[in-house]
Amino acid sequence: MVYRAIGLMSGSSLDGLDIAFVSFEEIRSQWSFALKHQKCVSYSQQWKDRLKNAEYLPARDFVQLDHDFGAFMGQEVKNFITENQLEHQTQFIVSHGHTVFHEPSKGISTQIGAGAPIAAINSINVINQLRALDVALGGQGAPIVPLGEALLFSDYNCFLNIGGIANLSVHSPEEVKAFDICVANQVLNHLARIDGVPFDQDGQIAALGAVNTALLTQLNALPYFAAAAPKSLSNQFFPDYIVPLLDNAQLAIPDLLRTVTEHIAMQITYSLASLTKRDPDQPTKLLVTGGGAHNAFLIQRLSALLQSYQVEVVLPEKPVIDYKEAIIMGLLGVLRWREENTILGITGASRPSIGGAVWMGQVY
């Protein structure tokens, strides 16, 4: 069976809206995919400000933003379809939306970007709110991608995505363990912007700095890192816990970037070391994706730390690095349409679930 879907992903780093048109094929429960077209729509400064400040809005303004962002996504998808001549080829648009609140302990994980405007603008069925049912069942609603990893990237059993937040999943025949590790591009980009650039290209600024042991110790000592999985991070973790430590350290930007880079590499290493077994005859292959995979200095530090654990860092082709999450969103929408599980039972929920709200945009 062949399905064609457009996956949408807006991450916590606010880089932009990822759009991926993907063809999925299922033959006897084996899935494959082909990424046909892709695009990242950079956010204007106005959209960055609106999304960044969404959590502080009054109720009516928040609802308006939810609608406006849905309409924005819908129009960008329409443009994407026109640019690539995809009219009448797309069965579903699957939107992760943009996470504003994530407090699963209170039953909340809110992704804005209303599905109805996307469906109305494109006259195509839309699936969104992929996390909501898992959270209602007592789960973290995260991580959401391991099922897609298992179905689409079966040559690997360890996956690291370095976006605004770094997350890890390790697959074994017995179980899948997955969780958010630490803040990543959120803090790296924040520090780079203070230095006058949008991001630290290849980690070049960080490479000029020195590790500050006191700050590194404070970062690694934050209680989240000692908590057992399942666990996940909200976007508020960065301003609430990381920014005060950076401000109090009173260090030059290169030293801050160097120390934070080491913190990220160390936390990823600690997490992998706790979940994998050392086998010199069969090294573990770690598939790394997300914007942070382009940070050459971070990847260098990570590879050096993981070497003693017989873990090999693998970078796939650039489209997969940049669009893996949007690809998987498309697959999760297909699974929702087929009424199959969309989130594995690893989030702490009482059971796996078939999550996602469906908006029937198709004209009948």
Side-chain angles (χ1 to χ4, degrees):
M1 190 70 180
V2 175
Y3 301 89
R4 296 179 180 87
I6 289 177
L8 306 179
M9 184 71 196
S10 176
S12 56
S13 58
L14 293 175
D15 292 337
L17 175 66
D18 290 338
I19 308 175
F21 176 68
V22 192
S23 175
F24 300 98
E25 185 172 12
E26 183 265 335
I27 301 175
R28 294 187 292 276
S29 299
Q30 298 298 309
W31 287 88
S32 62
F33 76 95
L35 178 58
K36 301 290 189 179
H37 300 280
Q38 65 277 338
K39 179 181 182 180
C40 180
V41 179
S42 297
Y43 291 134
S44 65
Q45 189 58 51
Q46 181 183 22
W47 269 118
K48 287 182 180 180
D49 291 342
R50 291 188 74 184
L51 294 174
K52 183 172 62 176
N53 297 317
E55 63 179 295
Y56 307 111
L57 292 176
R60 187 187 184 284
D61 293 343
F62 185 83
V63 173
Q64 186 68 58
L65 176 60
D66 181 39
H67 165 81
D68 291 351
F69 189 54
F72 166 80
M73 289 194 292
Q75 187 58 54
E76 291 300 336
V77 169
K78 189 176 182 66
N79 296 342
F80 177 80
I81 288 173
T82 301
E83 291 166 7
N84 295 289
Q85 299 179 335
L86 299 176
E87 292 84 354
H88 311 296
Q89 296 186 51
T90 304
Q91 293 168 268
F92 321 103
I93 300 167
V94 190
S95 174
H96 175 271
H98 186 85
T99 299
V100 178
F101 301 108
H102 183 69
E103 299 180 73
S105 62
K106 299 179 181 179
I108 298 171
S109 185
T110 304
Q111 287 76 43
I112 60 170
I118 305 174
I121 290 170
N122 290 280
S123 297
I124 297 172
N125 297 339
V126 171
I127 299 168
N128 69 347
Q129 301 298 329
L130 294 164
R131 299 180 187 267
L133 182 56
D134 184 85
V135 173
L137 290 166
Q140 294 284 309
I144 197 171
V145 299
L147 179 57
E149 291 168 341
L151 295 177
L152 299 180
F153 300 93
S154 57
D155 290 342
Y156 298 88
N157 63 355
C158 289
F159 302 89
L160 172 67
N161 188 78
I162 310 176
I165 293 170
N167 52 69
L168 174 72
S169 58
V170 177
H171 300 242
S172 71
E174 297 79 26
E175 61 181 343
V176 176
K177 292 186 177 180
F179 51 89
D180 289 340
I181 301 173
C182 61
V183 172
N185 290 343
Q186 273 185 329
V187 61
L188 295 175
N189 293 350
H190 167 77
L191 292 171
R193 286 192 293 269
I194 294 175
D195 207 44
V197 292
F199 60 94
D200 183 9
Q201 180 75 45
D202 295 326
Q204 293 177 11
I205 303 173
L208 297 174
V211 173
N212 181 276
T213 303
L215 175 59
L216 180 62
T217 301
Q218 290 177 317
L219 289 168
N220 287 336
L222 288 170
Y224 177 82
F225 303 121
K231 59 181 180 177
S232 58
L233 285 167
S234 71
N235 288 335
Q236 285 71 42
F237 185 84
F238 167 58
D240 291 351
Y241 293 94
I242 304 295
V243 170
L245 295 180
L246 301 179
D247 291 345
N248 291 336
Q250 296 185 334
L251 298 171
I253 293 298
D255 295 340
L256 287 172
L257 279 166
R258 177 67 182 88
T259 303
V260 168
T261 297
E262 196 69 14
H263 162 68
I264 295 168
M266 289 177 69
Q267 288 302 324
I268 293 169
T269 300
Y270 294 155
S271 298
L272 263 170
S274 68
L275 298 177
T276 59
K277 298 178 181 178
R278 299 190 196 191
D279 185 351
D281 297 324
Q282 191 173 2
T284 298
K285 291 187 176 183
L286 175 67
L287 189 71
V288 182
T289 57
H294 298 303
N295 185 325
F297 184 65
L298 173 58
I299 297 301
Q300 175 189 325
R301 290 300 306 137
L302 180 60
S303 298
L305 292 176
L306 288 174
Q307 189 173 10
S308 62
Y309 294 95
Q310 284 80 49
V311 176
E312 176 188 353
V313 171
V314 178
L315 300 178
E317 59 273 22
K318 188 178 185 299
V320 173
I321 288 178
D322 293 336
Y323 293 95
K324 189 191 84 171
E325 291 199 327
I327 292 167
I328 290 178
M329 291 309 120
L331 177 65
L332 296 182
V334 170
L335 296 177
R336 167 63 182 88
W337 190 259
R338 287 164 56 107
E339 298 187 0
E340 298 178 7
N341 286 344
T342 53
I343 295 185
L344 291 173
I346 57 173
T347 64
S350 58
R351 59 175 172 82
S353 59
I354 302 171
V358 179
W359 303 87
M360 302 301 291
Q362 179 179 347
V363 179
Y364 288 95

